[in-house]
Amino acid sequence: MLAHPDALNDDDPVSRLRGFIAHGDYRPGSRLPPERELTDELGVTRSILRKALDALEREGAIWRHVGKGTFVSATEAGLTQPRGSLAELGRQLTPVKMMRARLTIEPAICREAAINASNAALTQMNLAMERAHAVSNWQDYETQDDNFHRAIAEATDNPLLVAQFDQLNQVRRAVALGNVVRRSARPGPDHPSFGEHEVIATAISQRDPHGSYEAMRNHLRSVSARLFGEG
Amino acid sequence: MLAHPDALNDDDPVSRLRGFIAHGDYRPGSRLPPERELTDELGVTRSILRKALDALEREGAIWRHVGKGTFVSATEAGLTQPRGSLAELGRQLTPVKMMRARLTIEPAICREAAINASNAALTQMNLAMERAHAVSNWQDYETQDDNFHRAIAEATDNPLLVAQFDQLNQVRRAVALGNVVRRSARPGPDHPSFGEHEVIATAISQRDPHGSYEAMRNHLRSVSARLFGEG
DNA sequence: TCACTCCAATTGGTTGACCAATTTTTCGGA
DNA sequence: TCCGAAAAATTGGTCAACCAATTGGAGTGA
């Protein structure tokens, strides 16, 4: 497994700077030494130090102002637990935990979609579902499967829930990458997901919140069973 | 939904660079123009451009090598989902939709926490809850309220769900900013949230998934009622 | 003693020149 | 015509000098 980018790497300036702040008793809101002093304490040149400060500032761990100095943010985000990128999260997350997260989030979004879906959103959703039937290889199927699930998120008519789904989905792609073994060149017409998708779409179209929730939950459990075995 | 997140803050060099890559038909693995050309195309100095490239490299969206050039990563992480759009999302989202998103996500996370919480996580959660009682002003209360809800997300023992909560919470802070009017200097001992928090914590401690779900849902509906009126 | 002004020191930000790794071109020899 | 080494051009990385915002104290006058 890959170590975290700057957890174990003492030669990484960003991790050294994090360590300096974390172990230097700098409380939120307190001021750091000026850059020209930090260069001495950390033993790096100013340009290298500034690159590390840029990274921490972008994460929100510190804020700076000309003439004033550099200060530790009120929320210590990124100091005790450096906020890894989503790609990094995808690399660390086990497929089982990925699936548990999907089972937690997606049925809830699906229920909200059943409550808020406009007719236009329903059309979009059904379109994505039908396209999945016509694909000629697994890669295209994945794309259309993505589109179908995303169409459900958009049917909630809530940009924040769409953003939540996108975050979930981005990590999912990183986790799934290269882990899947297919037994055929393309999904057959009896692929279980096709039927499950239709149950979901029907429930949402009928504005049935509980039915939509259960349909999505069953679908994901079915996917889970195919991935990890029935257990 | 935001059609072009990058178009909205043209002043952020990172967003502009993201937009340039996203709309410039650069496929994963392809090479970007050299820095000295990008400065012309984006109309920024090289140092500003390099700071933006540093940010994208740290996110894993690109990789660079001296003499070779700058390349788009195999996984397009950070290009379709620019981090900067969250602040914009917070500005556009109505408080009502914010609350609907919370009602969709947080009870689901709370149920998952009841299933997976370790004893250490429970301790952390209870600690955050007790701290909220001792605050002397509303700002500290908000902080401790944040901590309590985040402790629940961490109790799921699932980094992805924590990331989902963080995204939700980040937008919430942007939405809530400056919208709240308080009638007293600090939360009184009979503040409804105190009791509701305890119900939640108890349900999670007893590993009661359904009870935890309902407790969180009731809490959020109570907050919603205080914000928007009973309707 | 207080208030105000001004100047020097401090501090983060920016710039242009230079450095080193890599690729491309050039050109002589077989 | 082909090969290979050397030179030139390209490209990302680094550095030292300089810039501008801010602070704080010395100086001045009422």
Side-chain angles (χ1 to χ4, degrees):
Chain A
M1 159 178 173
L2 289 171
H4 193 277
D6 45 39
L8 309 166
N9 234 357
D10 266 357
D11 52 337
D12 177 17
V14 180
S15 68
R16 296 192 51 184
L17 185 54
R18 274 209 186 87
F20 178 85
I21 299 175
H23 301 120
D25 194 35
Y26 288 104
R27 322 199 144 225
S30 64
R31 179 177 153 177
L32 265 58
E35 297 184 354
R36 289 162 179 84
E37 283 182 30
L38 274 178
T39 57
D40 292 340
E41 306 214 31
L42 296 181
V44 295
T45 65
R46 191 168 164 226
S47 53
I48 302 293
L49 170 72
R50 280 185 55 75
K51 201 197 285 189
L53 286 168
D54 283 341
L56 256 59
E57 183 182 31
R58 191 157 183 82
E59 290 179 10
I62 61 171
W63 63 271
R64 309 188 269 182
H65 207 292
V66 194
K68 290 177 186 259
T70 304
F71 300 83
V72 180
S73 291
T75 95
E76 298 178 70
L79 288 180
T80 53
Q81 266 220 332
R83 182 191 308 173
S85 68
L86 287 184
E88 185 62 28
L89 184 58
R91 240 167 284 141
Q92 294 190 344
L93 205 70
T94 65
V96 172
K97 290 209 170 174
M98 176 70 236
M99 184 51 75
R100 284 211 73 91
R102 288 191 73 184
L103 275 164
T104 303
I105 301 296
E106 291 201 48
I109 288 183
C110 196
R111 176 202 282 129
E112 187 71 6
I115 299 173
N116 295 85
S118 67
N119 286 332
L122 292 179
T123 306
Q124 203 66 28
M125 183 184 68
N126 286 316
L127 198 64
M129 185 175 63
E130 285 161 18
R131 278 195 189 135
H133 285 274
V135 298
S136 58
N137 58 57
W138 282 103
Q139 189 180 341
D140 286 354
Y141 170 76
E142 299 280 356
T143 304
Q144 294 306 328
D145 187 64
D146 259 30
N147 286 344
F148 175 68
H149 284 262
R150 192 174 198 280
I152 293 175
E154 286 186 348
T156 62
D157 193 33
N158 192 322
L160 176 50
L161 288 176
V162 176
Q164 291 261 280
F165 172 81
D166 281 343
Q167 185 187 47
L168 185 77
N169 207 31
Q170 195 173 331
V171 177
R172 184 179 70 80
R173 275 196 287 264
V175 170
L177 211 73
N179 282 349
V180 209
V181 179
R182 304 295 193 185
R183 290 201 180 84
S184 58
R186 60 147 143 171
D190 59 340
H191 189 55
S193 284
F194 287 144
E196 293 160 17
H197 280 186
E198 273 183 30
V199 175
I200 296 172
T202 302
I204 295 180
S205 298
Q206 293 173 346
R207 327 276 180 180
D208 173 8
H210 184 68
S212 301
Y213 178 92
E214 288 296 337
M216 176 61 82
R217 189 149 179 270
N218 286 333
H219 171 48
L220 292 176
R221 288 167 71 94
S222 161
V223 171
S224 178
R226 286 202 295 282
L227 278 179
F228 310 126
E230 297 296 333
Chain B
M1 132 171 209
L2 296 172
H4 296 286
D6 299 315
L8 295 172
N9 22 344
D10 268 353
D11 50 328
D12 179 15
V14 181
S15 299
R16 297 192 52 182
L17 184 55
R18 274 208 186 88
F20 178 85
I21 299 175
H23 301 121
D25 194 34
Y26 288 104
R27 321 196 147 226
S30 64
R31 182 178 152 178
L32 265 56
E35 297 183 352
R36 289 162 178 84
E37 282 183 29
L38 273 178
T39 56
D40 293 340
E41 306 215 31
L42 295 181
V44 296
T45 65
R46 193 172 162 221
S47 55
I48 301 293
L49 171 71
R50 281 184 55 76
K51 201 194 287 186
L53 286 169
D54 284 341
L56 256 57
E57 183 182 31
R58 193 154 183 87
E59 290 178 13
I62 61 173
W63 62 271
R64 309 187 270 183
H65 204 292
V66 192
K68 288 176 183 272
T70 304
F71 300 82
V72 180
S73 291
T75 95
E76 299 178 69
L79 291 180
T80 54
Q81 279 292 313
R83 208 174 279 172
S85 70
L86 282 187
E88 187 60 31
L89 186 57
R91 239 167 287 141
Q92 295 192 345
L93 205 71
T94 66
V96 172
K97 291 208 169 174
M98 177 70 238
M99 186 50 77
R100 284 212 72 91
R102 290 190 73 183
L103 275 164
T104 303
I105 301 295
E106 291 201 47
I109 289 182
C110 196
R111 175 202 282 128
E112 187 71 6
I115 299 173
N116 295 83
S118 66
N119 285 331
L122 292 179
T123 307
Q124 203 66 28
M125 183 183 68
N126 285 317
L127 198 66
M129 185 174 63
E130 283 161 19
R131 278 197 189 133
H133 284 275
V135 298
S136 57
N137 57 56
W138 282 103
Q139 188 180 340
D140 286 353
Y141 171 76
E142 299 279 356
T143 304
Q144 294 307 329
D145 187 65
D146 257 31
N147 287 344
F148 175 68
H149 284 261
R150 192 175 197 280
I152 293 176
E154 285 184 346
T156 62
D157 192 32
N158 190 323
L160 177 50
L161 288 176
V162 177
Q164 290 260 281
F165 173 81
D166 280 342
Q167 185 187 46
L168 185 78
N169 208 30
Q170 197 174 331
V171 177
R172 182 179 72 79
R173 274 196 287 261
V175 170
L177 211 73
N179 282 348
V180 210
V181 178
R182 304 294 193 185
R183 291 202 179 84
S184 58
R186 57 147 145 172
D190 58 340
H191 189 54
S193 284
F194 288 145
E196 293 160 15
H197 280 185
E198 273 182 30
V199 175
I200 295 172
T202 304
I204 294 180
S205 298
Q206 294 173 345
R207 326 276 182 183
D208 173 8
H210 183 68
S212 301
Y213 178 92
E214 287 296 335
M216 177 60 83
R217 189 149 178 272
N218 286 335
H219 171 48
L220 292 176
R221 288 167 70 94
S222 160
V223 172
S224 177
R226 286 201 295 283
L227 279 179
F228 309 127
E230 298 295 332

